[in-house]
Amino acid sequence: MSLNRSITIKAPSKVNWYLNILGKRKDGYHNLETIFVRLPLHDRIRLTATKGGIVLETKAPIPKGPENLAYKAAALLQKDASISLGVKIFIKKAIPMEAGLGGGSSDAAAVLVGLNRLWRLGYSLKRLSKLGAQVGSDVPFFVSEARYALGRGRGERIHPIWSSRRLWHVLIKPPFGISTRQAYQDYARLSRQKPGFLTPPRGGAKILLRFLQGRVNKIPQDGFFNSLELALNKRVTEISKLKNLLIQQGASAALLSGSGSTVFGVFGKKGHAIRAVRFLKRRKGCQVFVV
Ligand code: C5P
Protein backbone atom coordinates (compact mmCIF):
# COMPACT_ATOMS: atom_id res chain seq x y z
CA MET A 1 0.00 0.00 0.00
CA SER A 2 1.34 3.44 -0.92
CA LEU A 3 1.85 5.83 1.96
CA ASN A 4 0.46 9.37 1.74
CA ARG A 5 -2.57 7.95 -0.11
CA SER A 6 -5.60 10.08 0.92
CA ILE A 7 -9.34 9.73 0.83
CA THR A 8 -12.00 12.29 1.74
CA ILE A 9 -15.40 11.25 3.04
CA LYS A 10 -18.54 12.98 4.20
CA ALA A 11 -19.79 12.34 7.74
CA PRO A 12 -23.54 13.13 7.76
CA SER A 13 -25.72 14.21 10.69
CA LYS A 14 -28.96 12.76 12.10
CA VAL A 15 -32.06 13.68 14.03
CA ASN A 16 -34.26 11.36 16.06
CA TRP A 17 -37.92 11.56 15.08
CA TYR A 18 -38.70 9.30 18.03
CA LEU A 19 -36.68 8.48 21.14
CA ASN A 20 -38.44 6.52 23.84
CA ILE A 21 -36.38 5.53 26.89
CA LEU A 22 -37.57 2.12 28.05
CA GLY A 23 -35.47 1.84 31.23
CA LYS A 24 -32.05 1.93 32.85
CA ARG A 25 -29.68 -1.01 32.34
CA LYS A 26 -27.20 -2.62 34.70
CA ASP A 27 -24.29 -1.20 32.64
CA GLY A 28 -25.48 2.37 33.28
CA TYR A 29 -26.89 2.90 29.77
CA HIS A 30 -30.60 3.16 28.92
CA ASN A 31 -32.57 0.87 26.65
CA LEU A 32 -34.25 2.81 23.86
CA GLU A 33 -36.54 2.59 20.93
CA THR A 34 -35.56 5.31 18.48
CA ILE A 35 -36.08 6.34 14.86
CA PHE A 36 -32.95 7.82 13.28
CA VAL A 37 -33.12 10.03 10.18
CA ARG A 38 -29.85 10.71 8.33
CA LEU A 39 -29.42 14.30 7.09
CA PRO A 40 -27.04 15.75 4.49
CA LEU A 41 -25.53 18.42 6.79
CA HIS A 42 -22.04 16.92 7.08
CA ASP A 43 -18.48 17.13 8.38
CA ARG A 44 -15.64 16.35 5.96
CA ILE A 45 -12.97 13.84 6.96
CA ARG A 46 -9.66 13.45 5.15
CA LEU A 47 -7.67 10.31 5.94
CA THR A 48 -4.03 9.97 4.88
CA ALA A 49 -2.16 6.70 5.33
CA THR A 50 1.08 6.98 7.31
CA LYS A 51 3.80 4.60 8.49
CA GLY A 52 2.45 4.42 12.03
CA GLY A 53 0.61 6.23 14.84
CA ILE A 54 -2.59 8.28 14.78
CA VAL A 55 -2.63 12.05 14.39
CA LEU A 56 -5.81 14.11 14.43
CA GLU A 57 -5.93 17.67 13.12
CA THR A 58 -8.82 20.10 13.06
CA LYS A 59 -9.46 23.81 13.37
CA ALA A 60 -12.59 23.13 15.45
CA PRO A 61 -12.50 23.40 19.26
CA ILE A 62 -12.69 19.64 19.83
CA PRO A 63 -10.25 17.22 21.51
CA LYS A 64 -7.42 16.05 19.26
CA GLY A 65 -6.34 13.11 21.41
CA PRO A 66 -7.77 9.70 22.34
CA GLU A 67 -10.90 11.32 23.89
CA ASN A 68 -12.06 12.22 20.37
CA LEU A 69 -14.42 9.51 19.03
CA ALA A 70 -12.77 9.61 15.58
CA TYR A 71 -9.35 9.01 17.16
CA LYS A 72 -10.84 6.26 19.34
CA ALA A 73 -12.33 4.55 16.28
CA ALA A 74 -8.97 4.59 14.44
CA ALA A 75 -7.13 3.20 17.48
CA LEU A 76 -9.70 0.44 17.94
CA LEU A 77 -9.56 -0.63 14.29
CA GLN A 78 -5.77 -0.52 14.28
CA LYS A 79 -5.71 -2.83 17.30
CA ASP A 80 -8.46 -5.14 16.03
CA ALA A 81 -6.70 -5.60 12.68
CA SER A 82 -3.25 -5.88 14.36
CA ILE A 83 -1.96 -3.46 11.77
CA SER A 84 1.15 -1.30 12.11
CA LEU A 85 0.05 1.31 9.54
CA GLY A 86 -1.02 4.70 10.82
CA VAL A 87 -3.27 7.55 9.75
CA LYS A 88 -3.51 11.32 9.76
CA ILE A 89 -7.13 12.35 10.28
CA PHE A 90 -8.22 15.85 9.31
CA ILE A 91 -11.73 16.87 10.37
CA LYS A 92 -13.52 19.87 8.88
CA LYS A 93 -16.49 20.41 11.19
CA ALA A 94 -19.80 21.75 10.01
CA ILE A 95 -22.14 19.84 12.34
CA PRO A 96 -22.55 21.80 15.59
CA MET A 97 -21.26 20.12 18.77
CA GLU A 98 -23.30 19.10 21.85
CA ALA A 99 -26.24 19.47 19.52
CA GLY A 100 -27.89 16.02 19.42
CA LEU A 101 -27.02 15.74 15.71
CA GLY A 102 -24.56 12.86 16.10
CA GLY A 103 -21.50 14.73 14.77
CA GLY A 104 -18.88 12.97 16.92
CA SER A 105 -20.39 9.52 16.28
CA SER A 106 -20.64 10.18 12.56
CA ASP A 107 -16.97 11.25 12.38
CA ALA A 108 -16.07 7.97 14.14
CA ALA A 109 -18.18 5.93 11.70
CA ALA A 110 -16.59 7.72 8.72
CA VAL A 111 -13.13 6.90 10.11
CA LEU A 112 -14.03 3.20 10.44
CA VAL A 113 -15.50 2.96 6.94
CA GLY A 114 -12.70 5.08 5.42
CA LEU A 115 -9.83 3.26 7.12
CA ASN A 116 -11.32 -0.07 6.07
CA ARG A 117 -10.74 1.14 2.49
CA LEU A 118 -7.45 2.97 3.07
CA TRP A 119 -5.84 0.11 4.98
CA ARG A 120 -7.50 -2.49 2.66
CA LEU A 121 -8.87 -4.53 5.55
CA GLY A 122 -11.93 -6.02 3.82
CA TYR A 123 -14.11 -5.85 6.95
CA SER A 124 -17.88 -6.23 6.44
CA LEU A 125 -20.20 -3.39 7.51
CA LYS A 126 -21.47 -5.74 10.24
CA ARG A 127 -17.98 -6.12 11.67
CA LEU A 128 -17.34 -2.35 11.48
CA SER A 129 -20.68 -1.74 13.16
CA LYS A 130 -19.75 -4.02 16.06
CA LEU A 131 -16.52 -2.09 16.58
CA GLY A 132 -18.45 1.18 16.23
CA ALA A 133 -20.77 0.20 19.08
CA GLN A 134 -17.72 0.15 21.37
CA VAL A 135 -17.01 3.77 20.43
CA GLY A 136 -20.54 5.19 20.86
CA SER A 137 -24.20 4.15 20.79
CA ASP A 138 -25.00 6.14 17.61
CA VAL A 139 -21.98 4.94 15.58
CA PRO A 140 -23.63 1.76 14.12
CA PHE A 141 -26.45 3.88 12.63
CA PHE A 142 -23.91 5.91 10.66
CA VAL A 143 -21.97 2.80 9.63
CA SER A 144 -25.24 1.27 8.35
CA GLU A 145 -25.65 3.97 5.64
CA ALA A 146 -29.47 3.73 6.09
CA ARG A 147 -31.47 6.91 5.52
CA TYR A 148 -34.08 5.88 8.10
CA ALA A 149 -33.58 3.25 10.80
CA LEU A 150 -35.10 1.91 13.97
CA GLY A 151 -32.57 1.69 16.82
CA ARG A 152 -32.97 -0.66 19.76
CA GLY A 153 -30.80 -1.69 22.71
CA ARG A 154 -28.84 1.42 23.67
CA GLY A 155 -29.44 2.62 20.10
CA GLU A 156 -26.74 0.43 18.56
CA ARG A 157 -29.01 -2.37 17.25
CA ILE A 158 -30.00 -1.03 13.84
CA HIS A 159 -32.93 -2.11 11.67
CA PRO A 160 -32.94 -0.07 8.42
CA ILE A 161 -36.35 1.23 7.33
CA TRP A 162 -36.89 1.49 3.61
CA SER A 163 -38.88 4.60 2.71
CA SER A 164 -39.21 6.83 -0.35
CA ARG A 165 -40.19 9.84 1.80
CA ARG A 166 -38.08 12.93 1.11
CA LEU A 167 -38.79 15.71 3.57
CA TRP A 168 -37.23 19.04 4.52
CA HIS A 169 -35.77 19.64 7.93
CA VAL A 170 -35.08 23.00 9.51
CA LEU A 171 -32.57 22.76 12.35
CA ILE A 172 -32.11 25.42 15.02
CA LYS A 173 -29.17 25.09 17.38
CA PRO A 174 -29.49 27.51 20.31
CA PRO A 175 -26.34 29.19 21.72
CA PHE A 176 -25.97 26.56 24.45
CA GLY A 177 -25.04 22.87 24.03
CA ILE A 178 -26.15 19.84 26.06
CA SER A 179 -23.89 16.96 27.13
CA THR A 180 -25.42 13.57 26.30
CA ARG A 181 -24.17 11.98 29.50
CA GLN A 182 -25.64 14.85 31.59
CA ALA A 183 -28.99 14.63 29.77
CA TYR A 184 -29.32 10.89 30.54
CA GLN A 185 -28.27 11.46 34.17
CA ASP A 186 -30.87 14.21 34.58
CA TYR A 187 -33.44 12.00 32.87
CA ALA A 188 -32.74 9.14 35.31
CA ARG A 189 -33.17 11.44 38.32
CA LEU A 190 -36.27 13.27 37.05
CA SER A 191 -38.07 10.16 35.82
CA ARG A 192 -37.87 8.81 39.40
CA GLN A 193 -39.26 12.09 40.77
CA LYS A 194 -41.99 12.43 38.14
CA PRO A 195 -42.88 8.92 36.94
CA GLY A 196 -45.18 8.98 33.92
CA PHE A 197 -44.76 12.75 33.45
CA LEU A 198 -43.78 12.35 29.82
CA THR A 199 -45.41 9.36 28.16
CA PRO A 200 -44.92 8.21 24.56
CA PRO A 201 -47.82 8.33 22.08
CA ARG A 202 -50.23 5.37 22.33
CA GLY A 203 -49.18 3.85 19.01
CA GLY A 204 -45.45 4.27 19.88
CA ALA A 205 -42.98 4.27 17.00
CA LYS A 206 -45.59 2.52 14.78
CA ILE A 207 -47.29 5.84 13.98
CA LEU A 208 -44.16 7.15 12.26
CA LEU A 209 -43.29 3.77 10.75
CA ARG A 210 -46.69 3.67 9.02
CA PHE A 211 -46.00 7.13 7.60
CA LEU A 212 -42.51 6.14 6.41
CA GLN A 213 -43.92 3.03 4.76
CA GLY A 214 -46.43 5.19 2.85
CA ARG A 215 -49.49 3.76 4.62
CA VAL A 216 -50.61 7.25 5.74
CA ASN A 217 -49.97 10.44 3.83
CA LYS A 218 -50.10 13.26 6.38
CA ILE A 219 -46.99 13.85 8.53
CA PRO A 220 -48.29 12.56 11.90
CA GLN A 221 -47.40 15.31 14.38
CA ASP A 222 -48.55 13.12 17.32
CA GLY A 223 -45.98 10.44 16.52
CA PHE A 224 -42.93 12.65 17.19
CA PHE A 225 -41.64 12.05 20.73
CA ASN A 226 -38.46 12.40 22.76
CA SER A 227 -38.19 11.19 26.40
CA LEU A 228 -35.10 13.39 26.88
CA GLU A 229 -37.24 16.54 26.72
CA LEU A 230 -37.88 15.68 30.39
CA ALA A 231 -34.21 16.42 31.12
CA LEU A 232 -34.20 19.97 29.75
CA ASN A 233 -34.41 21.61 33.20
CA LYS A 234 -34.03 25.41 32.91
CA ARG A 235 -33.72 25.11 29.12
CA VAL A 236 -37.31 23.92 28.72
CA THR A 237 -38.68 27.44 28.08
CA GLU A 238 -36.18 28.26 25.31
CA ILE A 239 -36.65 24.85 23.64
CA SER A 240 -40.48 25.12 23.78
CA LYS A 241 -40.20 28.60 22.25
CA LEU A 242 -38.15 27.26 19.32
CA LYS A 243 -40.59 24.38 18.79
CA ASN A 244 -43.53 26.79 18.77
CA LEU A 245 -41.76 29.10 16.31
CA LEU A 246 -41.17 26.18 13.93
CA ILE A 247 -44.84 25.16 14.11
CA GLN A 248 -45.94 28.79 13.58
CA GLN A 249 -43.68 28.89 10.53
CA GLY A 250 -45.49 25.92 9.02
CA ALA A 251 -43.58 22.86 10.30
CA SER A 252 -45.75 19.74 10.44
CA ALA A 253 -43.89 18.63 13.58
CA ALA A 254 -41.11 19.99 15.82
CA LEU A 255 -38.97 18.17 18.38
CA LEU A 256 -35.70 18.19 20.33
CA SER A 257 -33.16 15.99 18.52
CA GLY A 258 -31.47 13.29 20.63
CA SER A 259 -30.18 14.81 23.85
CA GLY A 260 -30.28 18.30 22.28
CA SER A 261 -29.78 21.17 22.13
CA THR A 262 -30.92 21.28 18.47
CA VAL A 263 -34.62 21.56 17.71
CA PHE A 264 -35.82 20.42 14.29
CA GLY A 265 -38.97 21.05 12.28
CA VAL A 266 -40.24 18.73 9.52
CA PHE A 267 -41.68 20.29 6.37
CA GLY A 268 -43.33 18.63 3.38
CA LYS A 269 -42.55 21.57 1.06
CA LYS A 270 -39.15 23.13 0.32
CA GLY A 271 -40.60 26.66 -0.10
CA HIS A 272 -42.13 26.57 3.39
CA ALA A 273 -38.86 25.35 4.93
CA ILE A 274 -36.84 28.11 3.24
CA ARG A 275 -39.33 30.77 4.34
CA ALA A 276 -39.07 29.47 7.92
CA VAL A 277 -35.26 29.64 7.80
CA ARG A 278 -35.34 33.28 6.64
CA PHE A 279 -37.54 34.13 9.61
CA LEU A 280 -35.60 32.07 12.17
CA LYS A 281 -32.19 33.43 11.11
CA ARG A 282 -33.19 36.69 12.81
CA ARG A 283 -33.01 34.91 16.16
CA LYS A 284 -29.85 35.99 18.01
CA GLY A 285 -27.12 33.44 18.73
CA CYS A 286 -28.88 30.53 17.00
CA GLN A 287 -27.42 28.54 14.10
CA VAL A 288 -30.09 27.67 11.51
CA PHE A 289 -29.86 25.05 8.74
CA VAL A 290 -32.22 23.71 6.11
CA VAL A 291 -31.61 20.22 4.73
O1 C5P B 1 -22.82 5.83 23.79
P1 C5P B 1 -22.44 7.25 23.98
O2 C5P B 1 -20.98 7.40 24.27
O3 C5P B 1 -22.92 8.15 22.91
O4 C5P B 1 -23.18 7.73 25.29
C1 C5P B 1 -22.81 8.86 26.02
C2 C5P B 1 -23.45 8.78 27.40
O5 C5P B 1 -24.87 8.89 27.29
C3 C5P B 1 -23.20 7.44 28.10
O6 C5P B 1 -22.05 7.50 28.87
C4 C5P B 1 -24.43 7.29 28.95
O7 C5P B 1 -24.27 8.01 30.15
C5 C5P B 1 -25.53 7.98 28.15
N1 C5P B 1 -26.36 7.03 27.37
C6 C5P B 1 -27.31 6.25 28.03
N2 C5P B 1 -28.08 5.39 27.29
C7 C5P B 1 -27.96 5.31 25.95
C8 C5P B 1 -27.02 6.10 25.27
C9 C5P B 1 -26.24 6.96 26.01
O8 C5P B 1 -27.44 6.31 29.25
N3 C5P B 1 -28.75 4.48 25.28
Side-chain angles (χ1 to χ4, degrees), residues 1-3 49-54 74 78 82-87 118-121:
M1 195 209 63
S2 60
L3 292 175
T50 63
K51 266 193 247 168
I54 297 164
Q78 200 182 38
S82 311
I83 198 164
S84 61
L85 290 168
V87 63
L118 197 68
W119 288 342
R120 302 206 167 119
L121 300 176

Side-chain angles (χ1 to χ4, degrees), residues 28-32 105 135-138 153-155 180-181 184:
Y29 282 87
H30 291 79
N31 274 325
L32 317 172
S105 306
V135 179
S137 308
D138 289 344
R154 59 185 168 90
T180 303
R181 178 187 288 266
Y184 276 98

Side-chain angles (χ1 to χ4, degrees), residues 61 76 83 105 117 120 123 266 281-282:
L76 191 65
I83 198 164
S105 306
R117 270 166 53 199
R120 302 206 167 119
Y123 278 30
V266 183
K281 277 209 163 142
R282 288 186 230 148

Side-chain angles (χ1 to χ4, degrees), residues 25-44:
R25 309 168 13 151
K26 286 201 184 100
D27 61 6
Y29 282 87
H30 291 79
N31 274 325
L32 317 172
E33 186 170 39
T34 185
I35 296 178
F36 289 107
V37 179
R38 173 187 306 258
L39 297 180
L41 169 68
H42 62 270
D43 292 343
R44 225 172 249 282

